[in-house]
Amino acid sequence: APGAPGRPSPRSASGPVLSGCGVYDGTEIHEASAILVHLSRGGAEVQIFAPDVPQMHVIDHTKGQPSESESRNVLAESARIARGKITSLAQLSATNHDAAIFPGGFGAAKNLSTFAVDGKDCKVNKEVERVMKEFHGAGKPIGLCCIAPVLAAKVIRGVEVTVGHEQEEGGKWPYAGTAEAIKALGAKHCVKAHVDQKNKVVTTPAFMCETALHHIHDGIGVMVKKVLELAGK
């Protein structure tokens, strides 16, 4: 239990926001797991959320192709990662949480927004937009990794974020073009993990980079640590 011998006392009530289960149509599972591990290590109390909406589509992860006959619910799929302990995003409030954290995966661009289809002209899910504006307005930190920083770029005017490098560099950064969309949304793009002190937004590239899993895990750890520091708990 938090506060037990050998563990830090709870410093923050944190709300990770998931977008399904699986990199191509939902949450990137390794990123979500890394966030939860590092929140646990930091002594944070965690309540996991996801919007109760249909997925944009379902991808067969063995083929990378849509399963045309299937439909799935984002909340129900996210519950797989949360081991069943999940709450509708409509219940997340800056009043009783100190931080919100958004892992990546295409679900952030397909289910939490329409970025995968509409790019810079995307719309953000109304509950995601509400949560981000609420936490930002309350001066509470928001952490995002991988593709999820596009959400902050759309919702928070002039925010500073990263989605990694701006050139592919021989395939190491396969999604480098996302940086231009970040700029087109009116945000400032940084080429490495970044803390926007003014807006209290912390971002790290995670799987935007083709690198070893432990590097991604460690980078997310730095992001989580900075979020908890900004939460001031």
Side-chain angles (χ1 to χ4, degrees), residues 75-98:
L75 182 65
E77 289 299 295
S78 299
R80 295 173 178 270
I81 298 172
R83 297 171 60 85
K85 296 178 180 178
I86 197 154
T87 305
S88 171
L89 186 58
Q91 305 302 313
L92 176 54
S93 169
T95 305
N96 48 23
H97 287 81
D98 301 304

Side-chain angles (χ1 to χ4, degrees), residues 206-229:
F207 274 101
M208 297 299 270
C209 182
E210 290 287 334
T211 189
L213 178 59
H214 67 282
H215 291 316
I216 291 164
H217 184 90
D218 292 347
I220 288 172
V222 174
M223 183 260 290
V224 169
K225 184 179 179 182
K226 293 293 186 185
V227 167
L228 293 178
E229 286 174 1

Side-chain angles (χ1 to χ4, degrees), residues 7 14-18 27-49 78-86 101-103 145 217 220-221 223-224 228:
R7 291 194 59 183
S14 176
V17 179
L18 306 185
T27 307
E28 211 301 316
I29 296 169
H30 298 288
E31 292 177 7
S33 180
I35 287 167
L36 294 171
V37 167
H38 289 295
L39 284 171
S40 175
R41 183 168 285 143
E45 294 178 336
V46 175
Q47 186 177 6
I48 303 172
F49 297 86
S78 299
R80 295 173 178 270
I81 298 172
R83 297 171 60 85
K85 296 178 180 178
I86 197 154
I101 301 182
F102 294 79
C145 64
H217 184 90
I220 288 172
M223 183 260 290
V224 169
L228 293 178

